[in-house]
Amino acid sequence: MAALAPLPPLPAQFKSIQHHLRTAQEHDKRDPVVAYYCRLYAMQTGMKIDSKTPECRKFLSKLMDQLEALKKQLGDNEAITQEIVGCAHLENYALKMFLYADNEDRAGRFHKNMIKSFYTASLLIDVITVFGELTDENVKHRKYARWKATYIHNCLKNGETPQAGPVGIEEDNDIEENEDAGAASLPTQPTQPSSSSTYDPSNMPSGNYTGIQIPPGAHAPANTPAEVPHSTGDVRLTPEDFARAQKYCKYAGSALQYEDVSTAVQNLQKALKLLTTGRE
């Protein structure tokens, strides 16, 4: 891909989107679709924050140029031309990043790459809002991932050993979302995978994500149901039901591109349950 024109200095008003823009930059070569939607999220958010101040207008104008250049380069990529495919791509990418960090955490392997993966997963879930409201599951993932990134970063900084897994978080308590704490130890320049502990969906074996054991109450994804109820009579499906079933099938197809069998099976079973019972 051709290099994008650089952006002007980030206006102070846009501090809340600086990490999303950094994530976009890091994914320009690794996954241009992720890079595109990170910039789209930054653009939409920036417009809401301040689209009138001259420096903000200039910044947003240059960001728009980057978006248009990316869209042109990506051409007829389905993840760009079809929102449902783009949403599936982002959700699967964020989930795999979350599961990589969650695996490292539960195994007691605490390092900067897993902190970065937790935090980046939370940022990508922010980005999913360009497609509409987040699911309850995504909201929980984002809250848990951001808390974990901040907690483990602070422990390592203070020379303490973090507790593995979902220990110490209470579901009813709001987590203070400290933007800087979660990313303070993250590299400011794009990084390339340098070791087996670095997250990169293109080279991570699928075995790292399948068969993951999730303790009750954890914010990680629910286990795949063992059985799907069979239809008991004439099920009347609405157009919305068909659309949701189609969405699950798209998610499954996107997961298979990453050889992520467990996510594919989970989404196909959701579609099957919806089509056979009329309920999710």
Side-chain angles (χ1 to χ4, degrees):
M1 284 184 56
L4 298 172
L7 294 171
L10 185 77
Q13 298 94 310
F14 291 163
K15 183 183 177 184
S16 65
I17 58 174
Q18 65 178 333
H19 298 305
H20 302 87
L21 288 169
R22 183 185 300 167
T23 301
Q25 191 181 14
E26 291 171 353
H27 284 81
D28 278 333
K29 292 182 180 179
R30 192 182 301 177
D31 191 318
V33 171
V34 170
Y36 173 82
Y37 282 114
C38 283
R39 286 185 174 89
L40 182 60
Y41 171 83
M43 181 78 192
Q44 291 181 355
T45 306
M47 291 287 288
K48 293 174 186 174
I49 295 172
D50 188 341
S51 61
K52 296 179 180 179
T53 306
E55 62 173 356
C56 291
R57 286 174 65 90
K58 180 182 178 183
F59 186 88
L60 292 172
S61 174
K62 294 295 185 184
L63 183 55
M64 178 64 78
D65 290 344
Q66 285 193 347
L67 278 167
E68 290 177 353
L70 263 177
K71 198 166 188 177
K72 189 175 180 181
Q73 290 175 21
L74 292 169
D76 58 356
N77 189 312
E78 276 196 341
I80 301 298
T81 59
Q82 298 184 41
E83 282 196 356
I84 195 167
V85 181
C87 184
H89 185 96
L90 259 291
E91 284 199 325
N92 279 308
Y93 193 98
L95 178 60
K96 290 177 82 69
M97 188 166 276
F98 177 94
L99 289 179
Y100 161 73
D102 192 54
N103 251 350
E104 293 293 285
D105 176 39
R106 292 172 191 277
R109 293 188 291 265
F110 306 109
H111 49 83
K112 287 185 178 181
N113 282 325
M114 64 94 74
I115 296 172
K116 184 179 178 68
S117 292
F118 265 135
Y119 192 71
T120 304
S122 77
L123 296 176
L124 292 179
I125 295 173
D126 288 339
V127 173
I128 293 171
T129 60
V130 302
F131 303 103
E133 289 188 21
L134 295 176
T135 63
D136 289 344
E137 185 178 47
N138 279 335
V139 171
K140 287 181 178 180
H141 279 145
R142 178 174 63 179
K143 185 176 182 179
Y144 182 76
R146 202 159 289 181
W147 168 74
K148 264 294 180 181
T150 304
Y151 166 70
I152 296 170
H153 165 73
N154 288 337
C155 284
L156 296 183
K157 184 176 71 174
N158 297 327
E160 300 169 1
T161 302
Q163 289 185 310
V167 180
I169 181 173
E170 296 181 15
E171 246 175 83
D172 296 333
N173 290 348
D174 288 331
I175 297 161
E176 182 180 350
E177 294 187 358
N178 186 327
E179 290 288 338
D180 294 322
S185 65
L186 308 186
T188 54
Q189 296 299 321
T191 56
Q192 295 300 321
S194 56
S195 71
S196 60
S197 63
T198 305
Y199 173 80
D200 180 2
S202 64
N203 65 19
M204 293 296 289
S206 59
N208 280 349
Y209 312 113
T210 55
I212 223 174
Q213 296 300 312
I214 309 299
H219 290 312
N223 288 325
T224 307
E227 294 182 6
V228 177
H230 294 287
S231 175
T232 53
D234 185 22
V235 177
R236 295 184 180 181
L237 299 172
T238 66
E240 290 77 16
D241 291 331
F242 285 111
R244 284 201 297 274
Q246 186 181 33
K247 181 181 72 171
Y248 288 132
C249 291
K250 290 277 190 182
Y251 286 0
S254 181
L256 288 174
Q257 289 181 345
Y258 290 119
E259 300 180 1
D260 185 358
V261 176
S262 62
T263 301
V265 169
Q266 188 174 359
N267 281 291
L268 287 172
Q269 288 193 321
K270 285 180 180 179
L272 183 60
K273 180 180 178 182
L274 181 60
L275 293 172
T276 54
T277 68
R279 297 189 304 273
E280 290 190 70

